[in-house]
Amino acid sequence: MPFYNDLRPEADFATRDFIRVFPNMTKPAKIRTIDGLLRLREALDKAIPSRRTEENLLAASWNIKEFGHTTQRLPESYYYIAEIVARFDLVAIQEVKSTLKDISILMRILGSDWSYLVNDITDGTSGNRERSCYLYNNKRVNLSGLVGELVLWPAVSDGAVISQLARTPYMTGFRAGWKSFVLINLHLSPDKTGNKAAARKAEVELLVKALNEKSDELWGENLILTGDFNFFREVDQQSVDLLNAAGFVEVNSLVGKLTNAALTEVYDRFFIRKNKFFRLALTADGKESGGVFNPFDHVFRLADAAVYLPEMLGVYGGAADLANDATAMKKYFDSYWQQNQLSDHLPIWFEMIIDSSSPFLAENRTKIEAEP
């Protein structure tokens, strides 16, 4: 669980030198943050499965808006992000900017059980000076040894309409229990207009081609594509079909689930190509265990907008009179401000089974029995 030192009463600091991340948090801000965390924790308890030692692993993906760039996040926002991240064992993060300031703050709250890996930023207009990140709980998952960026080479990209993916995919191998797998963290070209859908299709074509070429070098058969695919339901089905044809199947409990904060599109996905021993946990109705978690049902709720008016006025640069126009204030809060606190995307997750002892032994028994 995260460290909550900033949320202690001042009397605690008179007896022990607790290290604070935000030493200037006010009393009202502390109380507001604690109330938000209590609501968030209750919701996470209901939505996310419990950890089961040596049996399951909880993996998530989250595009955290301009992480390391925006200066609008309040201290409480980092606590809410940490609370969500800490419910999982391994989290792929997209849209980490050139500075690692926000990652550093998050790691201080998460504590020493957590580590992170980041790749280099992708320069250029299409790269948007972004990088990818993996956050992982050292007590639950370990690195397998493979780390790299997927940079295309001429034999793959010759004749294609693009030479590289807009943002370099970040591949990292992990091991938990019996399972070894490779996560490939993606952030495909955004936007629905113009030829962006064609650009995403070209990215997917090259990605699949490169992974097929590299499959023998990836130290395992279990490949997990995740991240912000920027797929629009109306124009990107061909890209989904390409992934399916290459053996990458979407976690079925996530199919069609809206993942942006505005609840209009299915941008964020998990596609898995696996061997016969790689299994996802199943729910009572037989679906693969996974889902989308909406933090805005519990923190930075629209009903709370007026509470944050002083903070909004401190950063607002528009022409509306937020202080006297409740409609304009709520619109700004709902469309921009709350998303600048957390993200314009929602975290997605799935649960894998990491103990294959029983199927392994059962298959061996059958093979032994069939021996002459």
Side-chain angles (χ1 to χ4, degrees), residues 64-314:
I64 304 182
K65 184 180 180 181
E66 296 186 359
F67 207 51
H69 176 70
T70 180
T71 59
Q72 293 188 21
R73 282 193 176 93
L74 302 177
E76 69 183 276
S77 302
Y78 292 96
Y79 274 98
Y80 298 152
I81 292 170
E83 192 69 47
I84 294 167
V85 166
R87 286 304 174 106
F88 303 102
D89 303 310
L90 171 60
V91 184
I93 305 291
Q94 302 85 46
E95 210 165 306
V96 178
K97 305 299 279 186
S98 55
T99 171
L100 298 179
K101 172 184 69 71
D102 283 356
I103 290 290
S104 177
I105 292 172
L106 185 58
M107 295 305 295
R108 291 178 66 188
I109 297 173
L110 287 172
S112 58
D113 287 346
W114 285 80
S115 296
Y116 73 92
L117 289 171
V118 294
N119 63 344
D120 196 9
I121 60 171
T122 303
D123 281 313
T125 302
S126 60
N128 200 29
R129 295 188 63 78
E130 293 180 18
R131 65 174 97 221
S132 300
C133 175
Y134 294 105
L135 303 168
Y136 60 99
N137 187 324
N138 298 298
K139 292 187 174 180
R140 297 277 295 164
V141 63
N142 297 302
L143 298 174
S144 69
L146 172 72
V147 178
E149 295 182 321
L150 188 61
V151 179
L152 304 180
W153 57 102
V156 169
S157 60
D158 279 353
V161 296
I162 58 173
S163 59
Q164 298 289 341
L165 275 69
R167 301 172 178 95
T168 308
Y170 188 25
M171 304 182 301
T172 304
F174 294 94
R175 181 179 293 113
W178 283 61
K179 294 293 169 283
S180 292
F181 53 93
V182 177
L183 270 173
I184 301 157
N185 202 344
L186 300 167
H187 192 182
L188 301 186
S189 296
D191 298 331
K192 182 178 180 180
T193 58
N195 62 351
K196 291 296 186 177
R200 285 189 291 275
K201 181 173 178 286
E203 287 186 303
V204 170
E205 287 173 336
L206 290 178
L207 174 68
V208 167
K209 187 175 180 181
L211 289 177
N212 286 337
E213 293 277 345
K214 286 278 187 181
S215 59
D216 292 337
E217 303 173 23
L218 292 180
W219 300 10
E221 301 171 278
N222 303 313
L223 304 183
I224 304 172
L225 304 179
T226 191
D228 178 5
F229 289 77
N230 274 310
F231 286 163
F232 289 82
R233 289 176 292 170
E234 293 180 12
V235 298
D236 284 292
Q237 186 57 44
Q238 283 186 316
S239 292
V240 176
D241 293 342
L242 282 170
L243 290 170
N244 293 161
F248 289 97
V249 179
E250 188 170 7
V251 174
N252 62 27
S253 55
L254 286 169
V255 174
K257 294 290 182 68
L258 305 176
T259 68
N260 60 331
L263 299 178
T264 58
E265 294 293 345
V266 189
Y267 293 140
D268 307 273
R269 314 278 187 114
F270 277 111
F271 291 94
I272 305 176
R273 189 166 76 186
K274 61 186 188 294
N275 64 21
K276 62 184 177 182
F277 289 117
F278 192 97
R279 294 186 299 127
L280 274 62
L282 299 179
T283 60
D285 61 0
K287 281 211 162 190
E288 293 168 341
S289 179
V292 182
F293 182 77
N294 190 342
F296 297 116
D297 289 337
H298 316 288
V299 296
F300 298 123
R301 301 168 299 184
L302 185 58
D304 302 326
V307 174
Y308 295 98
L309 179 59
E311 286 82 4
M312 286 190 279
L313 292 175

